[in-house]
Amino acid sequence: MRTLRKTAREHAECVSHSFGDVRRFLVRTRCTSLNRMLFTIGDGKASVVVSVAWVAFRTRAQTRQFQDLMDVHATGDIAPLGGELIGAAGIQFSGHNYDSRLDRTRTVLTVAETETLTGEFSADDLDTVAEIAALLPRP
């Protein structure tokens, strides 16, 4: 697999880029920064779209509370960048192929989600891609 297309954005706030219970949490507990990236990887026959967000907070406790919320399916999310930026217009993330990781300072949570763009991938394959993406360093 190799990276096919990629785009990234940095934001000073998180609320406008979130929804659901996640947004309500971010209204009460402001993040200090948000970086989002969207990219596709593929092998020439099939491809996966990957959304990664790095959400920073002032304290470890805030970051851990945020992770506890994010790790529950259907509680909301950080909105991914638009798929049209990388030739994946209309892509919808289900939240089923997901992983999150705290960075070494424990004040930044990396959230990664994946979906099949073309071809076929098993849920295990998509989960593995999300696990690897959650290890990516913050841009």
Side-chain angles (χ1 to χ4, degrees), residues 48-64:
V48 173
V49 64
V50 182
S51 173
V52 184
W54 293 266
V55 187
F57 292 91
R58 285 188 179 86
T59 70
R60 291 175 177 184
Q62 291 170 336
T63 311
R64 186 63 193 164

Side-chain angles (χ1 to χ4, degrees), residues 9 12 26-27 29 37 40 44 53 61-62 72-73 89 104 107 114-116 126:
R9 301 283 188 279
L26 292 168
V27 165
T29 309
M37 181 183 296
T40 57
Q62 291 170 336
V72 175
H73 184 72
R104 61 177 167 64
T107 59
T114 63
E115 293 294 337
T116 300
L126 292 171

Side-chain angles (χ1 to χ4, degrees), residues 8-10 35-37 54 136-139:
R9 301 283 188 279
E10 183 174 352
N35 296 82
R36 296 184 299 163
M37 181 183 296
W54 293 266
L136 291 172
R138 184 176 174 188

